[in-house]
Amino acid sequence: MNKLELRHEIRKRKGEFSQQQLDELSLAVVNKILSHKKVIEANTILLYYSLPGEVNTHALIEQLSQKGKRILLPVVVDSENMEIREYRGIDCMIPGSMNIMEPTGKAFEEYSDIDLAIVPGMSFDSAGHRLGRGKGYYDRVLKKMKNTYKIGVCFGFQKVETVPALPYDVLMNEIIY
């Protein structure tokens, strides 16, 4: 299966679940994240503010922030790039590209300070390959985080035997589902 076909297959699988069912499945994934050693030890974490159909991270962001973690979220700045900004509470978020809630403020550029990146994807495989939405936003940003531990998160039905990979695709260290 090529990337386009795999994206289509995953969208089809997602369509078999209601948003409520996906939110319930998200709870198990979020609990695994909260109890993960790398998450507990991390000071600065890149996360994502979930869209419908993704593992729901809204409460996770709040919980980790309340535990004193520095939370960073992506902000799409144009058709090819995203930057990272610090999360400073839900009141400091505005709807951005693709109607994703994004933090306001200046860009965070100390990539070497990011201990952990928790990354969404359309699909993942056991080798750590990630299938994104096709724009390459995450691959471009993750390349700047050479020493950051990267965890891909998805629902179990999004994990496949093989994700087609290209040389510029950034590998995950681990997948949680």
Side-chain angles (χ1 to χ4, degrees), residues 73-92:
L73 298 174
V75 174
V76 174
V77 292
D78 60 39
S79 64
E80 292 185 7
N81 298 290
M82 67 181 190
E83 64 186 26
I84 297 169
R85 295 185 190 156
E86 190 168 347
Y87 174 76
R88 300 190 185 277
I90 194 70
D91 295 341
C92 297

Side-chain angles (χ1 to χ4, degrees), residues 4 8 11 18 22 33 38 40 46 52 64 73 79 82-83 103 119 122 127 129 139 142 155 159 168 173:
L4 192 61
H8 178 74
R11 282 189 191 100
S18 70
L22 292 176
I33 293 169
K38 292 284 188 185
I40 293 166
L46 171 65
L64 291 174
L73 298 174
S79 64
M82 67 181 190
E83 64 186 26
V119 183
M122 291 290 291
H129 296 109
D139 287 313
L142 292 172
F155 299 111
K159 190 144 184 293
Y168 58 80
N173 297 98

Side-chain angles (χ1 to χ4, degrees), residues 1 14 22 62 66-67 73 81 88 93 110 113 115 122 126-127 132-133 137 148 151 160 164 170:
M1 215 180 295
K14 279 185 186 182
L22 292 176
E62 282 302 320
Q66 289 171 5
K67 289 181 179 194
L73 298 174
N81 298 290
R88 300 190 185 277
M93 302 274 283
E110 294 85 38
D113 290 351
D115 303 306
M122 291 290 291
S126 297
R133 293 181 181 267
Y137 289 116
T148 301
I151 298 176
V160 296
V170 176

